Amino acid sequence: MSHTELTKTIENNLAVVERHFRLEATDVARALELYTDDIVWETSRGVTLSGKRAVGENYEKLFSSMRDVELVPLDRFATEERVVDDMLVRFTYAADGVPHAPVRPGARVEMRLVHIFEMRGGKIAKEKVFETWREVPSAG
């Protein structure tokens, strides 16, 4: 792969992940278009899902259980095969919709969230999600 091709691949991978983050909570169908058909999604909570349908159903439950979401980007970088994203996420866990959630509904959460996306053919083939949940006092 030439330097120019490598640069384009890396730029595309970063753009795909950015689109993924913008769409996953608001337009699951469009977010799923960014995945390969054989997508594998796994979390440090012990959840592993395979296929777009399972991931889409999970997103619907996950994002319907979160309110007042604030994303604080920390770092993002890519290679031709991976994108790594590190952020803080603050939200109210409003309803029980996250398998193995370590907090009760109603809790205000600050989560360190690290994603490792494995890319194939310009799409996300595997999404590994590492979460550190911490209950924090509610604002106000």
Side-chain angles (χ1 to χ4, degrees):
M1 183 179 290
S2 74
H3 179 70
T4 301
E5 292 170 324
L6 179 63
T7 299
K8 282 185 176 185
T9 299
I10 290 170
E11 288 173 355
N12 181 70
N13 288 347
L14 287 167
V16 167
V17 166
E18 179 62 28
R19 280 194 305 276
H20 162 77
F21 282 127
R22 279 190 317 220
L23 293 170
E24 67 182 352
T26 59
D27 192 340
V28 172
R30 286 186 52 213
L32 293 175
E33 293 172 5
L34 303 171
Y35 288 127
T36 60
D37 289 336
D38 62 345
I39 179 64
V40 174
W41 186 91
E42 61 184 41
T43 74
S44 56
R45 286 180 282 108
V47 177
T48 300
L49 304 170
S50 298
K52 289 181 179 182
R53 182 177 182 178
V55 173
E57 290 170 355
N58 178 65
Y59 278 158
E60 294 287 348
K61 290 177 195 171
L62 176 70
F63 292 109
S64 68
S65 71
M66 301 166 80
R67 301 283 181 270
D68 306 317
V69 178
E70 176 190 359
L71 303 177
V72 181
L74 300 173
D75 194 17
R76 183 180 297 159
F77 60 91
T79 70
E80 69 274 17
E81 297 174 347
R82 285 185 181 74
V83 176
V84 176
D85 183 86
D86 184 9
M87 71 172 71
L88 285 177
V89 182
R90 296 182 184 106
F91 61 94
T92 299
Y93 185 56
D96 195 14
V98 178
H100 311 294
V103 298
R104 62 176 171 49
R108 186 72 185 156
V109 175
E110 181 174 87
M111 178 192 299
R112 183 71 177 261
L113 187 59
V114 176
H115 285 82
I116 300 173
F117 296 94
E118 294 180 15
M119 308 298 290
R120 184 178 353 112
K123 293 189 172 194
I124 300 166
K126 187 169 192 176
E127 182 176 354
K128 295 185 258 185
V129 185
F130 301 90
E131 307 168 343
T132 304
W133 295 59
R134 183 171 69 90
E135 192 167 341
V136 297
S138 295

